[in-house]
Amino acid sequence: FVHFIHKPFPAAYNHFDISGLDILSQEQYIIKYMENDRQDRWDISSPPLWRMATFNRGNDKICAVWVFHHAILDGWSNASLMTELNNVYLALKANNDYTPTSLKISYKDFVTREMVEKKKMGNIDFWKRELEDYKRVSFPGVGKNKPGEFHDFVPPPLMISNENLLNAARRYNTSLKHICFAAYVYMLRMLTYEGDLVVGLVSNNRPELEDGDKLAGCFLNTLPFRIHIPAGITWADYIRMVDGKLLRLKQYEKISFFEIVKIIGERNRGENPIFDTIFNYVDFHIYNQVVEVNDQVGQDSGMLIQGYERTNTLFDLTIRPTSTGIRVSLRYSTSIASDEIVKQLYGYFEKILTLMFSHTEKLIKNDEILSD
């Protein structure tokens, strides 16, 4: 598994003038462009693994469509790149001689560290022990061998205040991310009689060096998180258990998931290795650094165009903190879970979060989570 850096390569860029169309036709034109673009599959053996198109809508309005393969950029890099693109454009507009400063780190630093980590015996021994005889979470769907569609479920904001969630995190001396992850794990626990389960956790392997937060690339890793949940424990004990396990995993998260699969000798059975589900906590506060030139920047242009992304897992839960609370979104394949099952699982997730801060020292009882 090797990273190739091609330099130079032709830019994949197109520009379209749709200023003569009305706003509805402009919207339909761009949506159709994006649908056609999705048919153009990536050839990961040759550059570039990104492409951009801009659309002149008239009246000094430009719509940009930015498409990239996840192998080259993670979400933070995407947000950082879009922020930098906006800010450099405005700087050049104000001063033709503006020159961005070079970073004090390169992607080579990350690749070098990755090569070192995969050879460490401590990493190898840990993951061999950690995943010995692991049990896969089984979803109550029609079966992974049957084709399914990918659906998105984006419920209204949680009816739990930010204050309650943050108070719970402080009470357990942990973070909001760890609280939400603990709720996600127990939500999946409701699908099985097994107390021993493995789920996927998206982690950030970005280099902890100067300018590491500005480096563009894909620094995400997906860790197998295995936990045995014993009977007869309180919500407080459960959260401390999850929090402690997450802190221990920090020591072994720099080895890639690809290498972990090789270490345990996972055989390819035509399915995802180890797990089908991942938890992702997204907080792109880099957007706070976007330079605005007037009150109109960033406001809704009146166009209803949705972005598109796809992972190779079958049940993804994403948490996004906002100023008023947390937003939850689920993307899932109907091959493993129906729309009704997903709504039911989300109901469990919401109930579990409520019990975590209202029933702290009470024993966990599944019948308090189940709906009528």
Side-chain angles (χ1 to χ4, degrees):
F1 184 62
V2 180
H3 285 94
F4 283 94
I5 299 176
H6 296 269
K7 186 173 65 172
F9 57 84
Y13 171 73
N14 288 301
H15 180 71
F16 303 91
D17 188 346
I18 57 174
S19 57
L21 302 177
D22 59 66
I23 187 170
L24 181 59
S25 299
Q26 290 180 352
E27 180 182 305
Q28 293 171 343
Y29 188 99
I30 296 171
I31 290 173
K32 184 64 177 176
Y33 173 87
M34 293 172 67
E35 289 175 349
N36 291 336
D37 180 87
R38 287 202 289 275
Q39 306 308 312
D40 187 6
R41 295 187 177 275
W42 299 105
D43 176 9
I44 63 172
S45 64
S46 60
L49 294 184
W50 62 267
R51 46 187 178 257
M52 176 175 275
T54 51
F55 301 83
N56 175 21
R57 298 180 49 219
N59 299 318
D60 293 329
K61 291 183 178 179
I62 295 285
C63 176
V65 173
W66 166 241
V67 186
F68 61 91
H69 194 292
H70 208 344
I72 65 167
L73 290 176
D74 55 28
W76 177 270
S77 294
N78 177 47
S80 178
L81 192 59
M82 291 298 100
T83 299
E84 185 177 4
L85 182 65
N86 173 82
N87 295 351
V88 169
Y89 167 77
L90 293 175
L92 285 169
K93 192 175 179 182
N95 177 12
N96 286 334
D97 297 326
Y98 171 78
T99 302
T101 56
S102 298
L103 299 182
K104 296 179 176 63
I105 187 176
S106 75
Y107 198 76
K108 184 171 69 173
D109 297 295
F110 167 71
V111 175
T112 301
R113 189 195 67 180
E114 192 177 56
M115 293 174 68
V116 170
E117 290 292 335
K118 74 178 185 180
K119 296 178 181 178
K120 287 184 177 179
M121 288 307 301
N123 287 333
I124 295 170
D125 292 341
F126 171 81
W127 287 111
K128 278 183 178 178
R129 294 192 308 270
E130 182 68 11
L131 296 174
E132 185 179 8
D133 298 326
Y134 76 88
K135 295 178 175 62
R136 194 184 191 96
V137 174
S138 296
F139 284 82
V142 296
K144 290 184 282 293
N145 293 327
K146 296 187 178 180
E149 299 177 344
F150 276 87
H151 289 183
D152 290 297
F153 176 55
V154 184
L158 281 170
M159 300 302 292
I160 306 169
S161 71
N162 249 6
E163 184 179 2
N164 281 331
L165 289 171
L166 291 172
N167 283 340
R170 282 191 287 266
R171 188 184 312 142
Y172 297 118
N173 193 29
T174 186
S175 66
L176 181 59
K177 175 182 176 179
H178 287 194
I179 290 283
C180 292
F181 180 71
Y184 155 81
V185 171
Y186 206 89
M187 174 192 75
L188 295 175
R189 168 70 177 83
M190 299 294 291
L191 293 176
T192 174
Y193 290 108
E194 300 284 352
D196 182 10
L197 67 160
V198 180
V199 300
L201 170 65
V202 177
S203 69
N204 176 19
N205 263 348
R206 187 170 288 274
E208 296 171 350
L209 299 170
E210 188 174 2
D211 285 341
D213 61 324
K214 300 174 184 175
L215 192 62
C218 187
F219 305 101
L220 296 182
N221 195 14
T222 309
L223 295 175
F225 178 92
R226 184 179 187 179
I227 191 167
H228 177 75
I229 306 172
I233 63 169
T234 65
W235 284 111
D237 290 336
Y238 168 67
I239 292 172
R240 293 187 188 105
M241 181 188 303
V242 172
D243 184 65
K245 184 65 179 284
L246 287 170
L247 293 176
R248 287 194 297 276
L249 280 185
K250 294 292 288 183
Q251 303 173 54
Y252 307 100
E253 69 177 0
K254 290 181 173 59
I255 185 170
S256 71
F257 179 63
F258 179 83
E259 292 296 331
I260 293 172
V261 172
K262 286 172 57 179
I263 287 169
I264 66 171
E266 177 83 355
R267 295 179 180 177
N268 186 350
R269 305 184 186 94
E271 60 185 5
N272 291 320
I274 306 177
F275 49 75
D276 293 306
T277 174
I278 58 173
F279 172 91
N280 194 13
Y281 187 88
V282 177
D283 186 3
F284 295 151
H285 54 267
I286 184 71
Y287 281 131
N288 296 334
Q289 299 177 22
V290 171
V291 176
E292 297 188 9
V293 292
N294 57 50
D295 292 337
Q296 300 303 312
V297 174
Q299 290 189 5
D300 183 10
S301 65
M303 301 182 72
L304 300 175
I305 297 176
Q306 296 294 323
Y308 173 86
E309 61 180 315
R310 175 65 54 83
T311 65
N312 63 345
T313 42
L314 303 179
F315 185 91
D316 304 346
L317 185 143
T318 300
I319 297 291
R320 291 178 174 84
T322 70
S323 58
T324 55
I326 63 172
R327 295 300 302 262
V328 183
S329 60
L330 294 107
R331 172 166 293 165
Y332 56 96
S333 170
T334 54
S335 67
I336 65 165
S338 66
D339 296 343
E340 287 304 312
I341 287 290
V342 170
K343 290 177 183 177
Q344 188 176 10
L345 283 171
Y346 174 73
Y348 295 163
F349 178 80
E350 196 166 22
K351 182 69 174 180
I352 290 164
L353 277 177
T354 301
L355 291 171
M356 280 180 173
F357 68 80
S358 62
H359 288 55
T360 309
E361 299 302 332
K362 288 189 175 181
L363 293 178
I364 297 176
K365 295 181 179 179
N366 287 359
D367 59 355
E368 294 182 344
I369 301 170
L370 293 169
S371 64
D372 293 339

